[in-house]
Amino acid sequence: MEARPTPASDLVPAQALPAQALPAQALPESALPEPRPRRTGYRRLPVQQRREQLIAVALELFASRPPEEVSLDDVAEAAGASRPLVYRYFAGGKQQLYEAALRTAAEELTSRFAVPLAGTPSEQLSAVLDGYFAFVAEHDAGYSALLRGGSVVETARTSAIVDDVRRAALQRTLRHLGVREAGPRLTLLVRSWIAVVEGASLSWLDEGRALPVAELRDWLVDQFTAMAAATALHDPQTARVLAGVLALEGPGAPRAARLREVLEPGQVLEPGQVLEPGQVVEPGQVVEPRQAVEPGQVLGPR
């Protein structure tokens, strides 16, 4: 039986056929269909682990951008999750997620207030400030937005979280100074110094971290010492605390020596020191016979 010729109408030019109808070797590479990207499914995580992951991702985003510039979609994308999934864990939306991230950051910052056991008081304070500035550097934009206020996500709850960190800093500093119950002037001193640290941190960030952090740290330690010396002139409790700190620094400590130079022509006397009759403390100053000196008392020329 003879084969029937194929009618001309049944013949289709090769270029008119769909690409998949031709052998691959017959097609130029540019004509091959591009493979469709495979959609990756969400990786299932235990509830607590997923919640911690979302907070960690949000914290990283809030640290690099002001909170109002971060959306839930940004968080979902960075976490490899869906927007509904984020809402499942944080029904209050972005505000609830921000507060959770802020609380986590506050706990981390508070943990860096731990005072090392070794070293002089100034060395211990320097170590705490090193940890503080490491945190500031890691959370640049978020730290600035948080302390400056005025953010659209700022609420009474977020302010309370920040106040808790300041309160912890106050308590840790007083404990570091060996103070159980601080009077109003000593409390004012420490609170004021904490405000100086915060202001210096913001200025450091604004100026592009131009000042080496070690120099800024040492300046803040000296700031505390100078502020304590000024407060000691008006408050016996602060005077006693300062005298104790200087004693722990040691007579040859550079910072203690500089402080004594700054306090000239006054003289910081050791607790319980008794002056001999007619002893000249400073040029032109003569004290009364057997005058007892209170701990930390600063004497100046008459």
Side-chain angles (χ1 to χ4, degrees):
M1 183 175 181
E2 295 182 0
R4 294 179 56 193
T6 303
S9 59
D10 292 343
L11 294 175
V12 182
Q15 60 268 28
L17 289 174
Q20 59 268 28
L22 295 176
Q25 61 270 21
L27 290 175
E29 185 175 341
S30 59
L32 289 173
E34 295 184 1
R36 297 178 62 183
R38 297 178 59 187
R39 184 174 178 178
T40 57
Y42 301 131
R43 188 163 60 95
R44 292 186 177 275
L45 294 174
V47 173
Q48 185 60 28
Q49 188 176 348
R50 172 65 78 180
R51 187 176 189 279
E52 291 173 355
Q53 182 222 17
L54 292 174
I55 291 175
V57 169
L59 187 58
E60 185 175 346
L61 293 174
F62 288 135
S64 59
R65 285 182 275 169
E68 53 267 25
E69 296 182 8
V70 178
S71 68
L72 278 185
D73 289 332
D74 294 331
V75 176
E77 181 180 357
S82 65
R83 184 186 178 94
L85 181 64
V86 178
Y87 267 109
R88 183 189 304 174
Y89 286 87
F90 300 96
K94 173 180 170 178
Q95 184 64 43
Q96 183 184 359
L97 178 57
Y98 175 69
E99 291 174 8
L102 180 59
R103 191 171 291 106
T104 299
E107 292 172 355
E108 179 187 349
L109 178 55
T110 302
S111 70
R112 301 195 186 193
F113 294 159
V115 179
L117 298 177
T120 65
S122 61
E123 291 171 343
Q124 293 171 331
L125 188 56
S126 295
V128 173
L129 286 172
D130 283 338
Y132 180 85
F133 278 105
F135 178 90
V136 171
E138 293 168 14
H139 300 82
D140 189 331
Y143 178 87
S144 298
L146 172 65
L147 289 188
R148 291 186 196 282
S151 171
V152 295
V153 294
E154 182 182 11
T155 65
R157 288 191 297 274
T158 60
S159 298
I161 294 172
V162 178
D163 287 341
D164 286 343
V165 175
R166 290 172 176 148
R167 193 174 299 109
L170 172 65
Q171 294 171 350
R172 295 285 181 91
T173 303
L174 291 173
R175 190 183 309 163
H176 172 60
L177 295 173
V179 178
R180 292 186 177 180
E181 295 185 11
R185 288 185 177 85
L186 182 55
T187 300
L188 178 61
L189 159 66
V190 177
R191 286 189 183 277
S192 299
W193 180 73
I194 291 171
V196 170
V197 173
E198 291 181 358
S201 303
L202 292 174
S203 179
W204 180 65
L205 292 176
D206 287 344
E207 295 171 6
R209 312 182 191 185
L211 186 66
V213 69
E215 292 183 18
L216 180 57
R217 174 204 64 205
D218 291 345
W219 178 78
L220 286 169
V221 173
D222 287 340
Q223 277 285 332
F224 180 82
T225 308
M227 292 171 68
T231 307
L233 296 173
H234 307 275
D235 180 43
Q237 183 185 33
T238 304
R240 290 193 297 271
V241 169
L242 181 58
V245 169
L246 290 177
L248 291 174
E249 286 288 321
R255 182 166 279 106
R258 289 202 306 270
L259 178 60
R260 291 189 175 95
E261 291 174 3
V262 170
L263 291 176
E264 296 293 349
Q267 179 183 5
V268 179
L269 300 170
E270 296 300 326
Q273 180 177 347
V274 178
L275 302 180
E276 296 300 325
Q279 178 180 350
V280 178
V281 179
E282 287 296 327
Q285 178 187 357
V286 180
V287 298
E288 298 298 326
R290 305 300 297 176
Q291 176 183 345
V293 180
E294 296 297 325
Q297 181 179 348
V298 179
L299 299 180
R302 291 182 176 179

